[in-house]
Amino acid sequence: MKTNNIRIRLIIIITCMMAFILMPFHGFSVEAPEYTIKSIFIKKIIKYITWPDNSFNSSDNAINLCFVEENEFLDAFDTLKDKSSKDRPIYLKNYWLSSQTCHILFINSKNRKLVESILSKVKNMPVLTIGEMEGFVELGGIINFIKESDKIRFEINIDSAKRSGFTISSHLLKLSKIFREE
Amino acid sequence: MANRINSFIFVLFIFIWLFPYKIYSENTSEADIDIEELSIEELMEVKVTSVSKKIEKLVNSPAAIYVITQDDIKKFGATSLPEILRMAPGMQVSRNDLTDWDVNIRGLNEFFSNKLLVLIDGRSVYTPIFSGVFWDIQDTMLDDIDRIEIIRGPGASLWGSNAVNGVINIITKNPKNTQGVNTSILGGNKEITGNVRYGGKIKDNIYYRFFVKKFDREKLSDSEDKDDNSKNEINAHNYEKKWVSNRGGFQLELNMNDKNSLSIKSEVYENQFKTNYYEVSFMEPYVFEKEGTSDAFGCYVLTDFKRTISETSDFQIKTYFDRAEKEHLPTKASVDTFDVDFQYHISLCDTNDIVWGLGYRYIMDSFRNSNILGLYPDKLNQKIFSGFIQDEIYVCKDIFHVTFGSKFEYNDFTEFEIQPSVKFLWNFKESHSLWGSISRAVRVPSRIERDGLILQWYIVNEDQYPLIVQDEGTDSLNSEVLMAYELGYRVKPYSNIWMDSTIFYNDYRGLVNGELGEIYIRTNPVPHYVQPVYFKNILNGQSYGFELASDWQALNNIRFRAAYSYLKTNVYYENLQEDAFFEITGALPPRNQFILRSAIDLTRTIQADFAVKFVDRLVKKESKKEIESYTDCNFRIAWTPFKTIEFALAGQNLFKNKHLEQSDIQVDRIFYLKMTYEN
């Protein structure tokens, strides 16, 4: 009984000590909802991309971000919209209803046929296409989000970006998986 | 002494539990990283939250819901479904034997455990033979479980009769999310388990997976005090009990387009363990012990079709066929179930959310009778028709919702049953919500309670005929009825702390229990007296209690979760108004239960997880013996040297070599090493 008692105490003490020793460690796993991460990615990526001349006609330099399907992505963007930033203002548009140009087209669909048909419509136009479907860059999309062990990564089709007249900073390219059309 | 240590630990954990609020204010900046300020490089390290939106919606509903995620299952280190359920508040799990668990929510463990509905991917695993769940045949590949939703309190207005004390919903992952190979091997002092799963895709929208699982478990220890009083009694468990299980499954998922999806699932299993059992004869030696092997076999096929009609409406058709054969030596039960369910959901004008459904179930059972347990007739076909409707009304959208609903059911047994409920949810302040509900639920009597003959005692008289005491089913039984009243409060004071509390009051009427009848003489095969004990709806009871669950992300790499449950029950004869506790079968439930879990990421590749549980003492009726309270812990340390390989060392019940939980079989210390390869 005595040894048992001591053992239990020891375990408790060790646990407490461990907890305190471990306190200083932090920053390993930050978590966020998928579309919050994606929306922030999009905001950050914009800074490393130059659109072809004359893409922005109005003086406010606002970016029209179009989406294909309504999903949580929009909620995530809404919560970020209010925060003041030096970035260009971003306007959310529904691709199907939008009569204006889309500077960024987030093809948030995994329906291959649909994605293919949209991509063919905007081919070679100065529209930054962003997808989240396996094989998106192979179909001619420019940037694709992929999920790797619960983290969001992205791939870039450089050839497609060039054809549409985009210049992408080497910093961004370094972080991405590069896809080349042979 | 042991008690003092237990109470010391108990107080300590309560203290730790309350501690967070103080620390938190000092750590705000660390815990509340604004991910918007991160660079792209840092952003690439942010993990996608595993809690899906669906769970969030679930957690914000007017019911006492607790969700166990895949991550929780992994970290807890348990290797079987009932052990995993220990994590949830309000849940009572006790291991009786190698293959036998008592699992219950808010009730007397043996007495009320027939009031729980358990679903695996929408398939009911509740057996109508004895109104309960055979936990030894319920298993699957644990790594492929997506989540387990535990609803305390009645879920009858949606799920129908027998969802009286609660519903356990085990949901496996989509084949789409289980692509590639996952294989693991687990070896320890009490078991060896091997799993292999492979997932692939046929076309862009057709995914599949199949798995096989095999385990081999060792017997549990015998009671320690067998050399004292019970020395002369037959020790029923003094044998090499081994439990072997083989299982394989397959699932196919077709996403025909964005609107339609079809899932087909099938599983086959066989289970086998050595056991001792008794047989009775009317000659010497009257009662004798035999050794045998208890086999079980089962399979099912389930199809689930979902169609989204528009943004505001969708429907689902689910069908399954299930066969379960299980030996309970010297008897055997086989049950075939065919079930079809249709469910339609529509949102109307942003103010109403309506779900209605229809269901049909056909159950065919067949029983191998013996003279200690039999069903008369030994074969029976039953059918159940049901329908339900539920309307959630947004009286004030996102602030005040009221839900009305009812299930209507027709079964061959008790005929027409209505099970309505009324609920409200009030988000009175941001991140504070209050909910309440009143519901009526019923439990339909089991086949054994209606048609069973169970031999309880066999008394040999020297100069007279022998006397048999036996339980006899009665077909005039009614359903047991519960009126449940619940009130819950949830709060999220900071972004990293969440707390959920519930109080409840359950009022049971017409609980089934044995009533002594007149002694009669039977002449076949030799003359003997029979003392019948008839199953009757003769008890009433109340239970009340409260449950508390909390979740605290202390730092980015440290998370604590705790659950506390208090439960008090009282059961008495309808007529006599006196305490019937010592008259009924079963044990008083543990009044206090507590579990604290911590999850720490030591480095990027090493995780350490720790869980401490406290279970209050039990008083057993039959022996009037007390089972001591116990405090025990689970521990797991995992190392992921490469993305695809994980080594884990885990243990359960580490404080003590062995402890008692419900029966006189000791639950041992368990440890194992597990290697997982996932690609």
Side-chain angles (χ1 to χ4, degrees):
Chain A
M1 200 62 237
K2 191 126 202 175
T3 51
N4 204 2
N5 187 357
I6 291 165
R7 203 167 57 211
I8 292 168
R9 276 198 208 162
L10 242 155
I11 292 169
I12 293 168
I13 291 166
I14 291 169
T15 323
C16 292
M17 272 170 58
M18 260 171 55
F20 280 106
I21 293 166
L22 295 169
M23 284 290 184
F25 287 86
H26 56 85
F28 290 127
S29 62
V30 184
E31 283 190 23
E34 182 173 345
Y35 283 100
T36 308
I37 303 175
K38 284 183 179 169
S39 63
I40 297 169
F41 257 123
I42 293 177
K43 285 191 112 179
K44 302 274 174 187
I45 284 172
I46 294 169
K47 292 179 193 159
Y48 298 100
I49 290 176
T50 321
W51 265 261
D53 299 340
N54 307 327
S55 295
F56 300 91
N57 40 12
S58 59
S59 52
D60 65 350
N61 255 0
I63 293 181
N64 291 330
L65 167 61
C66 303
F67 53 89
V68 175
E69 280 174 10
E70 313 243 349
N71 66 5
E72 306 133 84
F73 170 75
L74 300 170
D75 303 343
F77 237 92
D78 272 352
T79 54
L80 296 173
K81 217 161 53 180
D82 307 330
K83 300 204 177 172
S84 65
S85 76
K86 287 158 270 158
D87 309 333
R88 292 171 173 177
I90 294 175
Y91 297 129
L92 284 178
K93 310 257 179 217
N94 186 324
Y95 169 74
W96 305 109
L97 306 174
S98 175
S99 51
Q100 284 166 290
T101 28
C102 295
H103 299 113
I104 303 174
L105 175 57
F106 184 43
I107 309 179
N108 50 346
S109 168
K110 291 188 174 79
N111 181 340
R112 208 180 164 87
K113 275 207 174 132
L114 180 76
V115 172
E116 227 168 326
S117 79
I118 296 175
L119 278 176
S120 67
K121 273 184 209 157
V122 297
K123 205 178 176 189
N124 300 340
M125 281 163 61
V127 176
L128 186 73
T129 48
I130 302 179
E132 49 173 2
M133 181 191 79
E134 215 179 298
F136 183 78
V137 285
E138 283 87 339
L139 291 176
I142 301 176
I143 298 179
N144 188 30
F145 286 123
I146 42 179
K147 218 170 165 184
E148 268 181 14
S149 59
D150 288 338
K151 289 167 187 168
I152 306 283
R153 301 292 153 85
F154 53 93
E155 40 188 8
I156 296 181
N157 181 337
I158 314 187
D159 300 316
S160 177
K162 269 186 199 154
R163 271 203 306 275
S164 303
F166 286 102
T167 320
I168 299 176
S169 138
S170 59
H171 181 75
L172 188 66
L173 290 176
K174 251 189 273 170
L175 297 173
S176 68
K177 293 190 173 177
I178 292 171
F179 178 83
R180 276 179 177 283
E181 296 168 0
E182 234 46 48
Chain B
M1 194 63 200
N3 261 332
R4 265 183 50 202
I5 298 166
N6 281 343
S7 28
F8 167 70
I9 292 169
F10 186 65
V11 170
L12 184 84
F13 285 118
I14 293 270
F15 177 68
I16 292 177
W17 198 17
L18 298 171
F19 206 44
Y21 301 95
K22 282 246 173 77
I23 293 184
Y24 180 72
S25 54
E26 292 156 24
N27 275 341
T28 316
S29 56
E30 277 175 356
D32 208 16
I33 286 177
D34 187 354
I35 65 162
E36 214 187 337
E37 298 306 316
L38 300 177
S39 68
I40 291 196
E41 291 91 331
E42 287 167 330
L43 208 52
M44 287 173 76
E45 290 306 312
V46 176
K47 273 192 186 169
V48 175
T49 332
S50 45
V51 182
S52 73
K53 200 148 196 193
K54 199 172 172 187
I55 294 180
E56 238 166 78
K57 191 172 185 256
L58 207 64
V59 166
N60 195 27
S61 61
I65 293 187
Y66 193 80
V67 179
I68 295 174
T69 62
Q70 169 58 232
D71 201 44
D72 293 328
I73 294 173
K74 206 178 216 176
K75 290 186 156 151
F76 195 57
T79 56
S80 58
L81 288 174
E83 293 291 327
I84 288 168
L85 298 173
R86 288 182 196 268
M87 278 185 265
M91 193 91 228
Q92 294 127 24
V93 179
S94 57
R95 193 166 188 180
N96 294 337
D97 200 349
L98 179 63
T99 55
D100 187 21
W101 280 267
D102 271 340
V103 175
N104 195 20
I105 296 175
R106 295 177 174 172
L108 289 170
N109 222 359
E110 276 172 26
F111 195 63
F112 288 170
S113 56
N114 51 15
K115 295 170 188 60
L116 196 63
L117 187 67
V118 181
L119 302 164
I120 301 179
D121 286 326
R123 179 178 56 96
S124 170
V125 297
Y126 177 97
T127 168
I129 297 277
F130 83 111
S131 297
V133 176
F134 289 119
W135 283 101
D136 58 329
I137 53 173
Q138 307 313 332
D139 192 18
T140 188
M141 174 140 171
L142 298 183
D143 283 351
D144 286 348
I145 293 177
D146 183 56
R147 62 184 190 277
I148 301 176
E149 298 168 1
I150 296 160
I151 298 148
R152 309 186 298 273
S157 65
L158 279 181
W159 282 283
S161 52
N162 310 328
V164 175
N165 275 6
V167 182
I168 296 174
N169 218 342
I170 299 166
I171 297 156
T172 61
K173 289 178 184 168
N174 279 335
K176 202 174 172 179
N177 299 324
T178 51
Q179 294 284 294
V181 181
N182 176 322
T183 163
S184 66
I185 180 124
L186 179 157
N189 66 334
K190 290 283 167 189
E191 75 170 279
I192 298 172
T193 303
N195 279 310
V196 184
R197 177 256 287 155
Y198 179 76
K201 74 179 187 188
I202 297 169
K203 271 167 74 186
D204 277 342
N205 45 11
I206 304 175
Y207 295 86
Y208 65 88
R209 74 156 177 258
F210 50 85
F211 82 91
V212 284
K213 176 176 182 171
K214 184 179 172 65
F215 71 70
D216 198 329
R217 292 187 181 148
E218 295 286 330
K219 69 161 189 163
L220 299 176
S221 298
D222 295 326
S223 179
E224 256 175 352
D225 56 321
K226 72 174 175 214
D227 39 26
D228 309 349
N229 314 328
S230 52
K231 198 176 181 179
N232 300 325
E233 287 175 24
I234 310 162
N235 192 341
H237 310 289
N238 191 14
Y239 50 87
E240 282 305 309
K241 190 167 184 177
K242 268 204 146 196
W243 178 19
V244 184
S245 165
N246 296 305
R247 183 176 291 267
F250 161 80
Q251 188 171 355
L252 186 75
E253 187 192 359
L254 289 100
N255 296 308
M256 294 162 224
N257 50 49
D258 281 0
K259 302 262 155 95
N260 301 325
S261 73
L262 174 70
S263 161
I264 300 167
K265 217 186 149 188
S266 178
E267 220 169 288
V268 186
Y269 61 84
E270 59 161 7
N271 252 13
Q272 200 177 68
F273 59 85
K274 282 229 170 85
T275 186
N276 283 20
Y277 64 98
Y278 296 100
E279 286 223 11
V280 175
S281 78
F282 290 93
M283 281 168 286
E284 293 274 2
Y286 303 108
V287 179
F288 53 98
E289 200 181 357
K290 271 189 168 176
E291 200 171 288
T293 310
S294 175
D295 287 303
F297 166 82
C299 59
Y300 71 84
V301 185
L302 180 143
T303 63
D304 192 354
F305 175 75
K306 284 180 192 146
R307 180 177 166 84
T308 310
I309 300 162
S310 69
E311 267 181 25
T312 53
S313 63
D314 49 78
F315 73 83
Q316 184 180 1
I317 302 169
K318 194 181 68 208
T319 59
Y320 66 80
F321 172 78
D322 181 288
R323 178 172 183 83
E325 290 172 16
K326 186 176 150 57
E327 271 183 319
H328 187 86
L329 291 171
T331 58
K332 181 183 179 179
S334 320
V335 182
D336 291 320
T337 309
F338 174 74
D339 185 283
V340 194
D341 270 300
F342 172 81
Q343 190 170 314
Y344 188 89
H345 162 249
I346 186 163
S347 299
L348 285 181
C349 351
D350 263 4
T351 54
N352 287 56
D353 200 64
I354 298 171
V355 191
W356 61 267
L358 293 169
Y360 173 75
R361 184 175 293 175
Y362 194 72
I363 304 165
M364 292 162 279
D365 66 37
S366 133
F367 209 75
R368 186 177 79 206
N369 290 342
S370 81
N371 59 3
I372 64 163
L373 175 63
L375 292 182
Y376 302 90
D378 61 354
K379 283 189 179 66
L380 187 72
N381 299 344
Q382 300 176 66
K383 53 192 179 304
I384 302 167
F385 296 95
S386 64
F388 76 92
I389 183 157
Q390 178 181 294
D391 185 8
E392 185 173 3
I393 303 163
Y394 307 142
V395 178
C396 184
K397 204 176 179 184
D398 294 334
I399 296 178
F400 195 79
H401 295 184
V402 184
T403 309
F404 296 95
S406 182
K407 183 114 183 170
F408 305 92
E409 201 171 278
Y410 180 87
N411 66 68
D412 293 344
F413 218 147
T414 57
E415 302 189 336
F416 199 60
E417 301 282 1
I418 300 180
Q419 304 180 77
S421 78
V422 185
K423 298 170 177 186
F424 77 88
L425 175 71
W426 181 26
N427 296 313
F428 61 96
K429 249 168 81 181
E430 203 180 332
S431 62
H432 289 255
S433 61
L434 188 74
W435 63 268
S437 77
I438 301 175
S439 3
R440 180 184 193 268
V442 304
R443 182 184 71 89
V444 177
S446 67
R447 265 275 267 153
I448 283 187
E449 286 162 338
R450 189 175 65 163
D451 304 320
L453 272 186
I454 310 157
L455 188 117
Q456 293 287 13
W457 302 102
Y458 189 93
I459 300 157
V460 184
N461 294 334
E462 290 292 312
D463 33 292
Q464 280 187 7
Y465 298 141
L467 173 74
I468 280 174
V469 179
Q470 69 178 17
D471 290 336
E472 293 187 16
T474 32
D475 46 17
S476 58
L477 278 180
N478 293 320
S479 290
E480 296 178 341
V481 179
L482 164 69
M483 283 298 295
Y485 308 85
E486 292 177 280
L487 201 61
Y489 172 60
R490 289 192 193 99
V491 60
K492 201 176 174 193
Y494 304 103
S495 62
N496 62 342
I497 294 178
W498 168 85
M499 280 184 81
D500 181 3
S501 57
T502 314
I503 53 171
F504 69 92
Y505 178 79
N506 282 353
D507 190 9
Y508 299 92
R509 291 289 144 112
L511 294 171
V512 175
N513 199 48
E515 189 180 57
L516 283 185
E518 295 278 313
I519 294 184
Y520 60 89
I521 294 183
R522 201 156 54 188
T523 52
N524 190 25
V526 293
H528 60 278
Y529 291 113
V530 177
Q531 166 66 69
V533 180
Y534 296 109
F535 286 120
K536 289 272 173 69
N537 301 91
I538 49 170
L539 296 178
N540 286 350
Q542 281 88 37
S543 67
Y544 60 88
F546 76 97
E547 294 131 5
L548 213 55
S550 72
D551 187 338
W552 175 43
Q553 183 84 44
L555 291 170
N556 291 321
N557 58 331
I558 302 179
R559 185 170 179 185
F560 293 101
R561 259 162 295 189
Y564 169 73
S565 331
Y566 175 86
L567 173 68
K568 199 160 178 339
T569 51
N570 176 30
V571 179
Y572 51 87
Y573 285 109
E574 212 165 29
N575 315 324
L576 299 169
Q577 294 290 314
E578 71 185 37
D579 188 356
F581 163 57
F582 285 107
E583 303 295 327
I584 60 166
T585 329
L588 269 187
R591 193 159 293 176
N592 296 287
Q593 281 194 100
F594 181 74
I595 182 159
L596 177 83
R597 292 183 284 142
S598 71
I600 302 168
D601 293 344
L602 292 175
T603 69
R604 270 166 214 264
T605 56
I606 300 176
Q607 297 177 328
D609 307 296
F610 191 66
V612 181
K613 55 177 188 274
F614 167 82
V615 178
D616 216 343
R617 71 200 176 92
L618 286 175
V619 182
K620 291 208 68 173
K621 175 246 159 184
E622 309 91 75
S623 49
K624 297 190 185 173
K625 229 169 49 184
E626 201 177 278
I627 289 185
E628 264 185 64
S629 64
Y630 64 90
T631 306
D632 233 319
C633 81
N634 286 13
F635 184 71
R636 175 179 176 267
I637 185 149
W639 177 45
T640 319
F642 311 104
K643 246 188 203 169
T644 51
I645 293 178
E646 184 188 78
F647 295 97
L649 178 68
Q652 292 166 54
N653 313 323
L654 298 176
F655 279 165
K656 273 190 188 166
N657 200 8
K658 7 180 117 161
H659 69 266
L660 293 173
E661 290 193 356
Q662 171 106 335
S663 65
D664 56 352
I665 304 277
Q666 301 266 355
V667 178
D668 301 86
R669 182 178 288 154
I670 296 170
F671 48 86
Y672 63 80
L673 190 69
K674 185 182 178 189
M675 198 187 91
T676 312
Y677 171 83
E678 183 160 20
N679 195 4

